[in-house]
Amino acid sequence: MNKIKKLVNELVVDYSENDMVTLTVEKTNLKKLLKILKESQDLKFTQLIDLCAVDFIDYGKSEWETKEATSSGYNRGINPQSHSRIDFVNEDEVEEYKLTVVYHLLSMDFNMRIRIKCNLDNDSLIIPSVTEIFASADWYEREAYDLFGVLFEGHNDLRRILTDYGFIGHPFRKKFPLTGNTQVAYDPEQKKVVNQAVDITPRTLVPKVIRKSK
Amino acid sequence: MSEYKNFTMNFGPQHPAAHGVLRLILEMDGEVIRSADPHIGLLHRATEKLAESKPYNQNIGYMDRLDYVSMMCNEHAYVLAIENLLKLDVPERAQYIRVMYDEITRILNHLLWLGAHALDIGAMSVFLYAFREREDLMDCYEAVSGTRMHATYYRPGGVAKDLPTVMPKFMINKNHNLEQIEKLNYNREGTLLDFIDSFVDRFPKNVDEYENLLTENRIWKQRTVGIGVVSPERAVELGFTGPMLRGSGISWDLRKKEPYEVYKKLKFDIPIGTEGDSYDRYLVRIHEMRESANIIKQCCDWLKNDSGNYISSNTKIAPPSRDDMKDNMESLIHHFKLFSEGYCVPEGETYTAVEAPKGEFGVYMISDGANKPYRLKIRAPGFPHLAALNEMSKGHMLSDVVTIIGTQDIVFGEIDR
């Protein structure tokens, strides 16, 4: 672990170690850091195991305050505080998000894993693509673009991958409703399949509750 | 012949050799592939997003439906991740049961792969043989969970139920008379473990049968040797894991390298290939089935002499027993809380991976201290494999694409998630 610290110390903003070594890096240093981790003979993190984005906008927000529940009877936890309560996005409204891209690397030679996190500031979704360092990043970056809208600069084929042809929005952001915005249905008058606003009644079955153990 | 140029061909998404819903856009030069562009996502169900809106235990069932031919291995990665965050200890018996079922699952997966792969390349009978054995293993699934495929059997802290003491039997019906039924029930007289034992005893002979049909078969070799060759360096670079990586000659298996559960105490070998072609990957998987049977045997022997707990006794996470609930207020409260709200997992994050039949099946889980995962990212082994399809099939014939899809062991449940 000291080896890692020594090699990349000036590049990282944060260093922690829980289940594995976790480095936080500015996006300007991202490629440099990954290159060092991959090419250093003492580390050899040659495999990009996983790349994903995370939306931290609702982190630590619960849907149900139990304090009020005891004084004024039980509510059903349906105050629209966070994502699973369906909340149709108004098109003029600016969608809120707080994205982080997470990389998991594996070194087979030394049997080590490492996690690299890169936070995106809210005014720019652009992050350098790592496809030239790791070939396996190709599809992972397409996935993160599709589901979260992260734009990977330098990726030469940044298309949607998992969602349908012609899909609008980035569904894994926390503010994107769980039911989606549109549904497909057959319109007997036009005699074709059309997209229409979704008509599922929103429900919260089990509200999100945060309890700190003592 | 200047009037002929490259043309684009659409393959799938409803093609029987596409193993589900794969759509390929192939750039062809006559019969030769110039480039292949897989279009995936036709089975995308947003499992990860769904999981964010449900308490931890309600998501176990979704894991079965990811890679729907290696159900329990997916569950395993998910419950291990929760246990890591909770720092929960699992009783040894539960660990053995899980390892045993992981290996049963590996055989199930490889049998389906073998049958389907052979069928794609033109060998019909292997499929029928493979499904004969799968049927017995499905019965093992059914005996513990009540379902043949989507078991939802693992729980954080152990497994849902202990192994049954009787094995369900066939009954007389209009198709089978008493004599035939007795023949069918010959190994179902004892417990589930006896049944598994008898299966493991005959299974190596069954593998010999598959090998008789394929290993030295001229057509099989012509269709697989030298097809889809991946060098070891390239396999690492492309994110390959599991038999795809081992076929290229890299000895990497999480059961050995990052042993989880009781794999440390078990004796087994890791087969590797030398050439990195489809034939080597076939040999690797065949050998893995034999090794799995070996592991199951060891687990069986251990489990027969043990009567420990099958699930953690921490009633904050695992439900209390029915008996306790009848005369213990505390247990009743725990039960109510667990099944209405679930349990809260301490703040933190973990990446937990298991060696699933197809490769490294990882779960990256972030908890913000709530009763639902804040973010769940599933690292499916098939995803990077399929991403390499373009590279692997370039320069091969159209019919070889079918071989390559087969050798990658593609299942869309996990790739599209």
Side-chain angles (χ1 to χ4, degrees), chain A residues 15-188:
Chain A
Y15 181 99
S16 65
E17 204 179 326
N18 292 316
D19 61 324
M20 66 176 83
V21 176
T22 305
L23 310 174
T24 310
V25 65
E26 293 283 343
K27 62 184 171 189
T28 43
N29 287 332
L30 176 71
K31 276 173 91 170
K32 215 163 145 194
L33 173 73
L34 291 181
K35 223 176 184 132
I36 292 175
L37 291 175
K38 185 184 177 187
E39 284 164 8
S40 153
Q41 286 303 306
D42 299 332
L43 300 172
K44 287 195 183 169
F45 284 106
T46 45
Q47 193 170 40
L48 177 76
I49 275 288
D50 189 33
L51 185 162
C52 71
V54 186
D55 182 4
F56 278 105
I57 190 84
D58 281 340
Y59 193 81
K61 289 180 194 162
S62 62
E63 288 168 324
W64 198 25
E65 292 300 331
T66 38
K67 275 177 229 144
E68 71 188 56
T70 42
S71 59
S72 60
Y74 285 98
N75 65 38
R76 297 296 300 168
I78 50 170
N79 294 329
Q81 285 171 348
S82 70
H83 73 100
S84 62
R85 180 67 194 165
I86 286 105
D87 176 20
F88 289 98
V89 182
N90 189 340
E91 283 189 17
D92 317 321
E93 233 174 84
V94 183
E95 210 187 323
E96 281 180 280
Y97 47 80
K98 193 175 158 201
L99 300 180
T100 297
V101 182
V102 186
Y103 303 80
H104 284 94
L105 307 187
L106 170 69
S107 162
M108 288 183 177
D109 295 58
F110 298 100
N111 198 358
M112 273 193 299
R113 286 175 191 271
I114 193 169
R115 176 185 299 133
I116 288 115
K117 285 181 165 181
C118 186
N119 298 321
L120 291 176
D121 28 327
N122 259 355
D123 43 324
S124 157
L125 285 170
I126 302 171
I127 187 170
S129 163
V130 298
T131 39
E132 35 184 279
I133 308 172
F134 297 105
S136 57
D138 183 356
W139 275 27
Y140 285 124
E141 288 185 351
R142 280 178 67 186
E143 186 191 319
Y145 158 69
D146 188 2
L147 302 179
F148 288 91
V150 182
L151 298 166
F152 292 91
E153 192 177 17
H155 191 293
N156 54 21
D157 188 23
L158 202 61
R159 283 175 294 153
R160 285 185 178 274
I161 185 163
L162 289 178
T163 53
D164 200 0
Y165 303 112
F167 189 86
I168 298 168
H170 299 290
F172 275 33
R173 288 183 184 172
K174 288 283 179 178
K175 297 296 181 205
F176 192 94
L178 183 64
T179 52
N181 291 318
T182 57
Q183 64 185 20
V184 276
Y186 179 72
D187 186 334

Side-chain angles (χ1 to χ4, degrees), chain A residues 18-20 22 38 46-61 63-64 66 83-84 102 104 106-109 111-113 115 117 131-136 139-140 142-143 147-148 157 159 161-163 165 171-178 204-213, chain B residues 23 37-42 44 46-50 52-55 58 234-241 245 250 252 254 256-258 337 340-342 344-353 360 364 366-380 383-384 386-388 391 415-417:
Chain A
N18 292 316
D19 61 324
M20 66 176 83
T22 305
K38 185 184 177 187
T46 45
Q47 193 170 40
L48 177 76
I49 275 288
D50 189 33
L51 185 162
C52 71
V54 186
D55 182 4
F56 278 105
I57 190 84
D58 281 340
Y59 193 81
K61 289 180 194 162
E63 288 168 324
W64 198 25
T66 38
H83 73 100
S84 62
V102 186
H104 284 94
L106 170 69
S107 162
M108 288 183 177
D109 295 58
N111 198 358
M112 273 193 299
R113 286 175 191 271
R115 176 185 299 133
K117 285 181 165 181
T131 39
E132 35 184 279
I133 308 172
F134 297 105
S136 57
W139 275 27
Y140 285 124
R142 280 178 67 186
E143 186 191 319
L147 302 179
F148 288 91
D157 188 23
R159 283 175 294 153
I161 185 163
L162 289 178
T163 53
Y165 303 112
F172 275 33
R173 288 183 184 172
K174 288 283 179 178
K175 297 296 181 205
F176 192 94
L178 183 64
T204 302
L205 294 177
V206 182
K208 181 180 166 191
V209 183
I210 296 181
R211 292 181 201 281
K212 302 264 186 277
S213 59
Chain B
R23 183 179 171 210
D37 177 21
H39 284 206
I40 64 167
L42 289 105
H44 180 56
T47 304
E48 294 154 348
K49 181 141 181 129
L50 272 174
E52 289 169 11
S53 69
K54 290 198 161 51
Q58 290 185 19
R234 208 53 204 155
V236 173
E237 175 75 29
L238 290 167
F240 283 13
T241 47
L245 185 65
I250 294 182
W252 179 264
L254 296 181
K256 287 276 189 207
K257 300 288 178 180
E258 298 172 5
K337 267 314 212 188
S340 54
E341 184 183 287
C344 289
V345 169
E347 208 176 333
E349 57 185 342
T350 178
Y351 177 84
T352 308
E360 176 173 328
Y364 175 44
I366 302 179
S367 166
D368 59 348
N371 55 343
K372 305 170 179 182
Y374 183 77
R375 168 91 165 103
L376 179 72
K377 166 75 208 272
I378 291 147
R379 192 265 176 208
F383 193 77
L386 188 64
E391 189 173 320
I415 291 170
D416 290 348
R417 282 161 287 151

Side-chain angles (χ1 to χ4, degrees), chain B residues 197-268:
Chain B
D197 232 6
S198 83
F199 175 84
V200 177
D201 285 343
R202 77 174 160 95
F203 187 64
K205 281 188 220 100
N206 297 138
V207 181
D208 292 343
E209 286 175 0
Y210 317 142
E211 285 217 79
N212 269 339
L213 287 168
L214 296 175
T215 306
E216 293 303 325
N217 183 325
R218 188 161 48 90
I219 304 170
W220 179 256
K221 279 187 139 175
Q222 279 168 352
R223 291 297 305 271
T224 54
V225 173
I227 304 295
V229 180
V230 186
S231 71
E233 298 77 32
R234 208 53 204 155
V236 173
E237 175 75 29
L238 290 167
F240 283 13
T241 47
M244 292 291 289
L245 185 65
R246 294 193 282 275
S248 294
I250 294 182
S251 171
W252 179 264
D253 189 311
L254 296 181
R255 293 175 294 171
K256 287 276 189 207
K257 300 288 178 180
E258 298 172 5
Y260 47 98
E261 310 288 22
V262 289
Y263 277 116
K264 231 181 216 162
K265 297 177 194 164
L266 300 168
K267 284 200 188 76
F268 60 101

Side-chain angles (χ1 to χ4, degrees), chain B residues 74-361:
Chain B
N74 310 343
E75 289 176 32
H76 202 165
Y78 180 71
V79 298
L80 270 181
I82 299 173
E83 283 159 10
N84 278 350
L85 285 173
L86 287 165
K87 302 200 170 39
L88 187 68
D89 289 327
V90 182
E92 204 174 6
R93 183 177 176 82
Q95 297 190 18
Y96 269 100
I97 295 176
R98 284 189 196 171
V99 166
M100 184 172 81
Y101 268 91
D102 269 17
E103 296 308 320
I104 287 178
T105 308
R106 195 176 314 276
I107 296 181
L108 269 175
N109 177 80
H110 285 359
L111 282 177
L112 183 93
W113 162 81
L114 181 70
H117 189 32
L119 190 64
D120 285 347
I121 309 184
M124 179 74 207
S125 36
V126 188
F127 190 77
L128 303 171
Y129 281 85
F131 268 63
R132 180 188 60 191
E133 271 71 64
R134 261 174 74 83
E135 211 48 48
D136 279 358
L137 294 174
M138 290 284 189
D139 285 348
C140 298
Y141 259 56
E142 195 174 354
V144 291
S145 70
T147 11
R148 286 158 52 83
M149 286 189 69
H150 302 305
T152 326
Y153 178 54
Y154 293 1
R155 292 286 183 279
V159 292
K161 281 194 177 75
D162 204 356
L163 301 174
T165 47
V166 286
M167 188 66 197
K169 292 188 190 117
F170 291 106
M171 290 196 288
I172 298 174
N173 54 38
K174 63 182 176 190
N175 298 320
H176 293 100
N177 59 31
L178 183 67
E179 200 185 326
Q180 288 167 316
I181 289 294
E182 274 174 358
K183 217 170 165 185
L184 282 172
N185 281 336
Y186 81 99
N187 55 2
R188 290 168 189 261
E189 299 301 331
T191 64
L192 169 68
L193 286 172
D194 294 331
F195 179 76
I196 294 176
D197 232 6
S198 83
F199 175 84
V200 177
D201 285 343
R202 77 174 160 95
F203 187 64
K205 281 188 220 100
N206 297 138
V207 181
D208 292 343
E209 286 175 0
Y210 317 142
E211 285 217 79
N212 269 339
L213 287 168
L214 296 175
T215 306
E216 293 303 325
N217 183 325
R218 188 161 48 90
I219 304 170
W220 179 256
K221 279 187 139 175
Q222 279 168 352
R223 291 297 305 271
T224 54
V225 173
I227 304 295
V229 180
V230 186
S231 71
E233 298 77 32
R234 208 53 204 155
V236 173
E237 175 75 29
L238 290 167
F240 283 13
T241 47
M244 292 291 289
L245 185 65
R246 294 193 282 275
S248 294
I250 294 182
S251 171
W252 179 264
D253 189 311
L254 296 181
R255 293 175 294 171
K256 287 276 189 207
K257 300 288 178 180
E258 298 172 5
Y260 47 98
E261 310 288 22
V262 289
Y263 277 116
K264 231 181 216 162
K265 297 177 194 164
L266 300 168
K267 284 200 188 76
F268 60 101
D269 293 328
I270 303 297
I272 56 168
T274 49
E275 307 296 324
D277 59 359
S278 300
Y279 186 69
D280 268 14
R281 289 187 281 267
Y282 153 76
L283 292 177
V284 165
R285 289 191 174 107
I286 285 284
H287 202 93
E288 273 183 18
M289 287 202 277
R290 295 183 191 276
E291 290 299 323
S292 291
N294 199 351
I295 298 173
I296 296 172
K297 178 83 188 156
Q298 295 172 48
C299 292
C300 243
D301 291 345
W302 191 92
L303 284 165
K304 275 183 177 169
N305 301 317
D306 170 80
S307 54
N309 243 343
Y310 62 91
I311 194 162
S312 160
S313 51
N314 179 352
T315 44
K316 296 264 186 243
I317 310 298
S321 77
R322 277 274 139 190
D323 286 348
D324 274 356
M325 279 166 57
K326 305 289 186 218
D327 47 31
N328 186 343
M329 190 63 197
E330 195 81 340
S331 298
L332 197 60
I333 296 170
H334 281 143
H335 182 269
F336 175 73
K337 267 314 212 188
L338 269 177
F339 286 92
S340 54
E341 184 183 287
Y343 47 84
C344 289
V345 169
E347 208 176 333
E349 57 185 342
T350 178
Y351 177 84
T352 308
V354 298
E355 185 72 28
K358 293 181 172 63
E360 176 173 328
F361 188 94

